[in-house]
Amino acid sequence: MGMDWRDRTVFVTGATGLLGRWLVPMLCDLGATVTALVRDRVPASPLDPRATEVRGVVEDADLCRRIMTEYETDTVFHLAAQTIIGTARRDPLATFRTNVGGTWNVLVGAGRAGVRRVIVASSDKVYGVHSGLCDEQLPLRGRSPYDVSKVCADHLALSYGAVVTRSGNMFGGGDLNWNRLVPGTIRSAMRGTRPILRSDGTMVRDYVFVQDVVRAYQLLAEHPEAVGAYNIGANPMPTMGMCRLILAAMDRPDLEPVIGGAASDEIPSQMLNATRLLWLGWVPSEIHAGLRETVQWYRDHL
């Protein structure tokens, strides 16, 4: 089932983040009229010139409401969030203001503006510690400040009838947070230095290529029968295994990762059951193909 995006008005928050930098061009290619909320101008992640840029933050309730009302928004993709776990621990109040208060502002503004479809980016971290695959029916057990902020935003979104996405660890070109495994390992390999793992390398995470996440968002927007929460995950593996895949894609398997062991308090294993999304026709990429595209982006831009 498809949808004619031509002249459809779309509002995207977090438009210059990893997901937004790929989602906005896709929407423009489809013919949508896109308005993007941009907090900081990021030189390495410029906004698509076909989109209308509005400078501001999701903490500004009046601004969010004005954008959706004046631009007669039909569909909202709420991606803006404070996503760094360490930052959330150091400044939990600011994280709650952005992740919870910002989501509240978008949802209330969307309701008042008559928006038809709202898709809110949550996280697999809302599940907390579970054994085995996590499906959407599991209780949300997030405990750290970041996890709890996303649990609150997740419940808020569902209470307003929004669609919620709980994505695994996204990777792809344009991620400039060097503390994350994929860009950090790529940069180390380009410099000829050994990558440093924050954990002991055994923590399992579900890795998913950012362009696969973009396709998931498109499907969820195009299917009016899609309701509730949807997991987006494809490749669960230990961080050490992912690190070695990246080094192989960089042709630097000789660089032995350094075990930092500083992330012992994080969730030991997270694996997502994405069956609900697969039923909509979502087909994730093979991980080696996604890594090749990702590595090429950094080679072209760094």
Side-chain angles (χ1 to χ4, degrees):
M1 177 180 177
M3 182 177 77
D4 190 352
W5 287 88
R6 290 173 296 178
D7 300 322
R8 187 171 293 273
T9 53
V10 179
F11 177 42
V12 180
T13 71
T16 55
L18 172 59
L19 178 56
R21 79 174 310 278
W22 295 103
L23 179 64
V24 170
M26 184 274 288
L27 293 169
C28 292
D29 289 344
L30 291 172
T33 300
V34 180
T35 303
L37 184 63
V38 176
R39 185 187 68 176
D40 299 318
R41 194 179 298 273
V42 183
S45 183
L47 183 68
D48 191 296
R50 294 171 293 178
T52 298
E53 176 182 330
V54 178
R55 300 298 296 275
V57 294
V58 290
E59 294 90 333
D60 187 336
D62 291 336
L63 176 62
C64 291
R65 184 169 59 252
R66 179 184 70 78
I67 291 171
M68 287 181 274
T69 300
E70 291 187 3
Y71 289 91
E72 299 180 341
T73 300
D74 173 88
T75 304
V76 171
F77 294 95
H78 175 45
L79 315 179
Q82 194 300 101
T83 61
I84 310 304
I85 293 173
T87 299
R89 287 198 182 99
R90 292 189 296 271
D91 192 354
L93 180 57
T95 298
F96 277 100
R97 283 173 176 160
T98 299
N99 295 359
V100 183
T103 300
W104 168 261
N105 292 338
V106 170
L107 293 168
V108 171
R112 292 179 178 175
V115 173
R116 291 200 301 172
R117 192 75 162 163
V118 180
I119 299 176
V120 175
S122 184
S123 167
D124 60 349
K125 305 302 181 289
V126 298
Y127 290 117
V129 178
H130 286 278
S131 61
L133 286 174
C134 293
D135 63 41
E136 294 87 351
Q137 303 305 313
L138 285 177
L140 306 186
R141 296 176 177 170
R143 293 292 183 266
S144 74
Y146 170 74
D147 303 351
V148 171
S149 75
K150 298 303 283 186
V151 169
C152 293
D154 196 303
H155 283 309
L156 274 174
L158 292 175
S159 75
Y160 268 79
V163 175
V164 168
T165 61
R166 298 169 182 164
S167 176
N169 287 27
M170 276 184 287
F171 69 90
D175 188 355
L176 303 180
N177 180 5
W178 307 112
N179 288 323
R180 291 194 180 115
L181 176 65
V182 177
T185 301
I186 290 174
R187 187 172 70 167
S188 293
M190 294 181 74
R191 293 176 172 178
T193 60
R194 296 169 64 189
I196 299 175
L197 297 180
R198 292 188 301 112
S199 69
D200 62 2
T202 64
M203 290 184 175
V204 174
R205 294 292 181 265
D206 206 322
Y207 297 94
V208 58
F209 186 38
V210 65
Q211 294 193 39
D212 291 334
V213 181
V214 168
R215 285 190 284 272
Y217 274 69
Q218 179 185 350
L219 279 171
L220 292 171
E222 291 180 348
H223 285 73
E225 74 277 14
V227 295
Y230 286 81
N231 289 336
I232 309 177
N235 303 284
M237 70 179 71
T239 53
M240 177 62 80
M242 185 63 170
C243 185
R244 293 195 185 282
L245 284 183
I246 300 164
L247 292 172
M250 294 291 297
D251 298 318
R252 291 306 309 263
D254 57 302
L255 295 174
E256 184 64 23
V258 177
I259 300 298
S264 58
D265 59 337
E266 292 188 11
I267 298 168
S269 178
Q270 289 197 298
M271 301 180 290
L272 297 175
N273 181 348
T275 299
R276 292 198 76 210
L277 193 56
L278 295 172
W279 285 341
L280 293 182
W282 183 66
V283 180
S285 305
E286 194 272 329
I287 191 168
H288 294 89
L291 281 175
R292 283 194 297 270
E293 288 193 40
T294 301
V295 165
Q296 190 59 51
W297 188 94
Y298 287 99
R299 284 176 168 158
D300 291 341
H301 289 83
L302 290 186

